[in-house]
PDB file of all heavy atoms in Angstrom:
ATOM      1  N   LEU B   3      -3.858  -0.981   1.039  1.00  0.00           N
ATOM      2  CA  LEU B   3      -4.705   0.095   0.536  1.00  0.00           C
ATOM      3  C   LEU B   3      -6.112  -0.025   1.092  1.00  0.00           C
ATOM      4  O   LEU B   3      -6.567  -1.111   1.456  1.00  0.00           O
ATOM      5  CB  LEU B   3      -4.797   0.038  -0.990  1.00  0.00           C
ATOM      6  CG  LEU B   3      -3.526   0.108  -1.812  1.00  0.00           C
ATOM      7  CD1 LEU B   3      -3.878   0.005  -3.290  1.00  0.00           C
ATOM      8  CD2 LEU B   3      -2.764   1.385  -1.526  1.00  0.00           C
ATOM      9  N   LEU B   4      -6.819   1.107   1.089  1.00  0.00           N
ATOM     10  CA  LEU B   4      -8.248   1.124   1.388  1.00  0.00           C
ATOM     11  C   LEU B   4      -8.982   1.584   0.135  1.00  0.00           C
ATOM     12  O   LEU B   4      -8.732   2.680  -0.375  1.00  0.00           O
ATOM     13  CB  LEU B   4      -8.554   2.086   2.540  1.00  0.00           C
ATOM     14  CG  LEU B   4     -10.046   2.297   2.851  1.00  0.00           C
ATOM     15  CD1 LEU B   4     -10.721   0.974   3.216  1.00  0.00           C
ATOM     16  CD2 LEU B   4     -10.226   3.323   3.963  1.00  0.00           C
ATOM     17  N   LEU B   5      -9.870   0.730  -0.377  1.00  0.00           N
ATOM     18  CA  LEU B   5     -10.691   1.066  -1.541  1.00  0.00           C
ATOM     19  C   LEU B   5     -12.112   1.329  -1.067  1.00  0.00           C
ATOM     20  O   LEU B   5     -12.755   0.442  -0.501  1.00  0.00           O
ATOM     21  CB  LEU B   5     -10.674  -0.085  -2.547  1.00  0.00           C
ATOM     22  CG  LEU B   5     -11.666   0.011  -3.715  1.00  0.00           C
ATOM     23  CD1 LEU B   5     -11.387   1.250  -4.570  1.00  0.00           C
ATOM     24  CD2 LEU B   5     -11.619  -1.261  -4.570  1.00  0.00           C
ATOM     25  N   VAL B   6     -12.590   2.544  -1.303  1.00  0.00           N
ATOM     26  CA  VAL B   6     -13.954   2.927  -0.928  1.00  0.00           C
ATOM     27  C   VAL B   6     -14.756   3.074  -2.214  1.00  0.00           C
ATOM     28  O   VAL B   6     -14.609   4.054  -2.951  1.00  0.00           O
ATOM     29  CB  VAL B   6     -13.974   4.245  -0.131  1.00  0.00           C
ATOM     30  CG1 VAL B   6     -15.395   4.562   0.323  1.00  0.00           C
ATOM     31  CG2 VAL B   6     -13.028   4.174   1.058  1.00  0.00           C
ATOM     32  N   LEU B  20      -5.276  -4.930  -8.374  1.00  0.00           N
ATOM     33  CA  LEU B  20      -4.414  -4.293  -7.378  1.00  0.00           C
ATOM     34  C   LEU B  20      -3.592  -5.329  -6.612  1.00  0.00           C
ATOM     35  O   LEU B  20      -2.414  -5.108  -6.324  1.00  0.00           O
ATOM     36  CB  LEU B  20      -5.256  -3.463  -6.414  1.00  0.00           C
ATOM     37  CG  LEU B  20      -5.855  -2.189  -7.009  1.00  0.00           C
ATOM     38  CD1 LEU B  20      -6.888  -1.581  -6.066  1.00  0.00           C
ATOM     39  CD2 LEU B  20      -4.757  -1.162  -7.311  1.00  0.00           C
ATOM     40  N   ALA B  47      -2.194   4.100   1.317  1.00  0.00           N
ATOM     41  CA  ALA B  47      -2.933   4.991   0.418  1.00  0.00           C
ATOM     42  C   ALA B  47      -4.396   4.578   0.407  1.00  0.00           C
ATOM     43  O   ALA B  47      -4.763   3.470   0.827  1.00  0.00           O
ATOM     44  CB  ALA B  47      -2.365   4.945  -1.000  1.00  0.00           C
ATOM     45  N   GLY B  48      -5.247   5.489  -0.083  1.00  0.00           N
ATOM     46  CA  GLY B  48      -6.666   5.193  -0.205  1.00  0.00           C
ATOM     47  C   GLY B  48      -7.193   5.578  -1.570  1.00  0.00           C
ATOM     48  O   GLY B  48      -6.696   6.522  -2.197  1.00  0.00           O
ATOM     49  N   ILE B  49      -8.182   4.825  -2.048  1.00  0.00           N
ATOM     50  CA  ILE B  49      -8.906   5.146  -3.279  1.00  0.00           C
ATOM     51  C   ILE B  49     -10.335   5.432  -2.855  1.00  0.00           C
ATOM     52  O   ILE B  49     -10.996   4.577  -2.256  1.00  0.00           O
ATOM     53  CB  ILE B  49      -8.878   3.971  -4.271  1.00  0.00           C
ATOM     54  CG1 ILE B  49      -7.441   3.547  -4.568  1.00  0.00           C
ATOM     55  CG2 ILE B  49      -9.597   4.352  -5.571  1.00  0.00           C
ATOM     56  CD1 ILE B  49      -7.350   2.238  -5.348  1.00  0.00           C
ATOM     57  N   LEU B  50     -10.821   6.624  -3.144  1.00  0.00           N
ATOM     58  CA  LEU B  50     -12.088   7.076  -2.582  1.00  0.00           C
ATOM     59  C   LEU B  50     -13.052   7.526  -3.663  1.00  0.00           C
ATOM     60  O   LEU B  50     -12.779   8.482  -4.394  1.00  0.00           O
ATOM     61  CB  LEU B  50     -11.825   8.230  -1.604  1.00  0.00           C
ATOM     62  CG  LEU B  50     -13.035   8.900  -0.957  1.00  0.00           C
ATOM     63  CD1 LEU B  50     -13.807   7.913  -0.093  1.00  0.00           C
ATOM     64  CD2 LEU B  50     -12.583  10.101  -0.122  1.00  0.00           C
ATOM     65  N   ASP B  51     -14.196   6.835  -3.745  1.00  0.00           N
ATOM     66  CA  ASP B  51     -15.273   7.240  -4.648  1.00  0.00           C
ATOM     67  C   ASP B  51     -16.079   8.350  -3.981  1.00  0.00           C
ATOM     68  O   ASP B  51     -16.336   8.296  -2.768  1.00  0.00           O
ATOM     69  CB  ASP B  51     -16.161   6.030  -4.954  1.00  0.00           C
ATOM     70  CG  ASP B  51     -17.256   6.348  -5.953  1.00  0.00           C
ATOM     71  OD1 ASP B  51     -17.058   7.267  -6.774  1.00  0.00           O
ATOM     72  OD2 ASP B  51     -18.308   5.682  -5.920  1.00  0.00           O
ATOM     73  N   LEU B  76      -6.422   9.015  -3.458  1.00  0.00           N
ATOM     74  CA  LEU B  76      -6.771   9.213  -4.865  1.00  0.00           C
ATOM     75  C   LEU B  76      -8.291   9.187  -4.982  1.00  0.00           C
ATOM     76  O   LEU B  76      -8.918   8.186  -4.636  1.00  0.00           O
ATOM     77  CB  LEU B  76      -6.159   8.106  -5.719  1.00  0.00           C
ATOM     78  CG  LEU B  76      -6.615   8.027  -7.188  1.00  0.00           C
ATOM     79  CD1 LEU B  76      -6.141   9.244  -7.961  1.00  0.00           C
ATOM     80  CD2 LEU B  76      -6.107   6.752  -7.829  1.00  0.00           C
ATOM     81  N   LEU B  78     -11.681   8.794  -6.880  1.00  0.00           N
ATOM     82  CA  LEU B  78     -12.154   8.056  -8.045  1.00  0.00           C
ATOM     83  C   LEU B  78     -13.643   8.323  -8.184  1.00  0.00           C
ATOM     84  O   LEU B  78     -14.416   8.016  -7.283  1.00  0.00           O
ATOM     85  CB  LEU B  78     -11.903   6.565  -7.834  1.00  0.00           C
ATOM     86  CG  LEU B  78     -12.152   5.612  -8.990  1.00  0.00           C
ATOM     87  CD1 LEU B  78     -11.181   5.896 -10.125  1.00  0.00           C
ATOM     88  CD2 LEU B  78     -12.015   4.177  -8.512  1.00  0.00           C
ATOM     89  N   LEU B 108      -4.502   3.958 -13.075  1.00  0.00           N
ATOM     90  CA  LEU B 108      -4.811   4.013 -11.645  1.00  0.00           C
ATOM     91  C   LEU B 108      -3.627   3.519 -10.824  1.00  0.00           C
ATOM     92  O   LEU B 108      -3.222   4.174  -9.844  1.00  0.00           O
ATOM     93  CB  LEU B 108      -6.047   3.162 -11.351  1.00  0.00           C
ATOM     94  CG  LEU B 108      -6.388   2.954  -9.875  1.00  0.00           C
ATOM     95  CD1 LEU B 108      -6.797   4.265  -9.232  1.00  0.00           C
ATOM     96  CD2 LEU B 108      -7.480   1.918  -9.699  1.00  0.00           C
ATOM     97  N   LEU B 112      -1.320   5.596  -8.184  1.00  0.00           N
ATOM     98  CA  LEU B 112      -1.143   5.155  -6.801  1.00  0.00           C
ATOM     99  C   LEU B 112       0.336   5.117  -6.429  1.00  0.00           C
ATOM    100  O   LEU B 112       0.737   5.600  -5.363  1.00  0.00           O
ATOM    101  CB  LEU B 112      -1.765   3.770  -6.613  1.00  0.00           C
ATOM    102  CG  LEU B 112      -3.274   3.703  -6.427  1.00  0.00           C
ATOM    103  CD1 LEU B 112      -3.732   2.250  -6.431  1.00  0.00           C
ATOM    104  CD2 LEU B 112      -3.709   4.399  -5.148  1.00  0.00           C
TER     105      LEU B 112
END
Side-chain angles (χ1 to χ4, degrees):
L3 302 179
L4 174 59
L5 170 61
V6 184
L20 289 169
I49 304 170
L50 177 63
D51 183 27
L76 170 67
L78 188 65
L108 172 66
L112 280 173

